[in-house]
Amino acid sequence: MMSIKKIFFFLFFGAIILCPLVFFDFSSGVSSENRMKEKFPEFPAAVSDLKTFTGRFETWFNDRIGFRQELISFYNKTFASVFGVSPVDNIALGKNGTVFLTAASHAKVRHDDILSAFGGEQDWENSVKLQKKLIEDAWAWIGEAGVKTLFLAVPTSPVLRFGDLPDFLQKMIDKKKVENPPITEALNNFLKEHPPAVGSFLYPLEEAVRLSKLHHVYPQKNFHWSVSPFTVLVAGRLAELLGDDPPRPSSGDAFRPCVTTSDLSHLMGFVMHNENDLCPTEEFLHEFPLVHYNFKSPPPSLSLLGDLQAAAYWANEKGIPKNILVIGDSFNAALGLPLSRIYKNVLTVDYWGIERQHKDQVETILRKIRDEFQPDAIIFVSHNYFWPIARPAFKSLKSGNKKHLHNRDKMCTRADYL
């Protein structure tokens, strides 16, 4: 007769085996690894298809087995905490609790990826030439735009937190090139040839370095930006280049220390936190009667927004009466709110989001944006380089309204009026 101990162990391990099956997940959608779950494969029509079927079936099964996310989270967190090594190839664990996104585990790929974070490649001189070509294209576009245009390039976390990169990554980059990245050298060279362009291009590396002495402008484990003292600073600099005065908070502190969830948690497989972040205070958020619209709640005056998941609109009745159109990458999401504290109407558009959502209709959509929103100024935003404006789709943004047309050689900054 089976002993009580054997029965207990039989039931215990049987439960361990059966529980994941009892809680089997039959849903579709996005997996914990931020990819689409494998669909159930078609049954093989021939013996030669059997290997493909079994491979896809295994992936389908693994994507849905019960407690999958909990087990992955436990394993990855233990691996990172105990051994101090990232459990995934595209994440590097830095110093002071930092985390950095890299391309892959292969040394050359990672090397190129870190170099690209500085706006460069292994051939540094060629990087400067490429950066200058982007600036020249943008300057030529400004001369034909018919509307006031600014170009913003944003430094990224490896630039601003170079000292927190893992040692093996720091050794791949010459420290002098961190202090003077290709974009800085290219812009300085271009401004020597075209001094009036100083009012149209902004790469706020110096401002970020100064601000980071008070508080790190980049949270410990984030890849994307959030509304922060740095994004407010950048919005103010842009307003100055447009000839306007940014507002100041009426009283009190605009930001407070806070702990936030890392936007790289889904890649690591467990929840990570930024323990050194700053969050806007309620006073800062509600100092002005701001109204925020997105594609789920488009304003009646901008019907196009109802179809654009990659766009957002802010309205501030007390703001400077200008329509500011921002086009670019993910920095837009953090720039919209600070700009809306300054201007009456701000529309931010994620260009890559439009390309993903609408593919071949980008030019048509940009033309509709111009016609419906009627921008007084356009700001192009990108990380590590100035926006590649030579894309044909951007021709549709050139306004036929000549009242905004300005002579590039007579442009000046707000400081020139003081």
Side-chain angles (χ1 to χ4, degrees), residues 303-331:
S303 59
L304 174 67
L305 194 60
D307 298 323
L308 293 182
Q309 299 181 24
Y313 168 56
W314 284 264
N316 176 10
E317 288 299 324
K318 293 186 177 181
I320 297 171
K322 288 183 179 180
N323 296 347
I324 307 299
L325 174 61
V326 186
I327 299 177
D329 57 23
S330 60
F331 190 72

Side-chain angles (χ1 to χ4, degrees), residues 117-118 152-162 175-185 187-188 201-213 217 225 230 233-234 237 384 386:
F118 296 89
L152 166 66
V154 185
T156 50
S157 58
V159 181
L160 300 175
R161 303 203 66 156
F162 181 81
K175 185 66 181 295
K176 294 180 180 179
K177 295 175 181 177
V178 177
E179 300 169 351
N180 185 41
I183 188 172
T184 300
E185 187 171 339
L187 183 59
N188 289 340
F201 297 92
L202 177 61
Y203 179 58
L205 177 58
E206 292 183 4
E207 292 92 330
V209 172
R210 286 197 299 268
L211 188 62
S212 66
K213 293 179 180 178
V217 298
W225 292 89
F230 179 68
L233 181 151
V234 172
R237 290 285 287 113
N384 303 322
F386 290 108

Side-chain angles (χ1 to χ4, degrees), residues 37 51 58 151 213 218 230 242 303 308 322 331 346 376:
K37 295 178 183 177
K51 184 177 181 180
E58 182 179 356
F151 285 83
K213 293 179 180 178
Y218 232 114
F230 179 68
L242 292 174
S303 59
L308 293 182
K322 288 183 179 180
F331 190 72
V346 175
D376 294 287

Side-chain angles (χ1 to χ4, degrees), residues 44-94:
V47 176
S48 59
D49 299 330
L50 188 60
K51 184 177 181 180
T52 301
F53 171 80
T54 54
R56 292 191 60 186
F57 177 83
E58 182 179 356
T59 304
W60 172 85
F61 184 85
N62 289 338
D63 278 351
R64 289 164 173 79
I65 192 168
F67 306 112
R68 170 182 172 81
Q69 177 56 42
E70 289 77 9
L71 291 172
I72 291 176
S73 176
F74 176 77
Y75 172 81
N76 287 1
K77 189 172 184 178
T78 302
F79 200 79
S81 302
V82 176
F83 300 104
V85 178
S86 171
V88 292
D89 288 342
N90 55 353
I91 296 291
L93 302 183

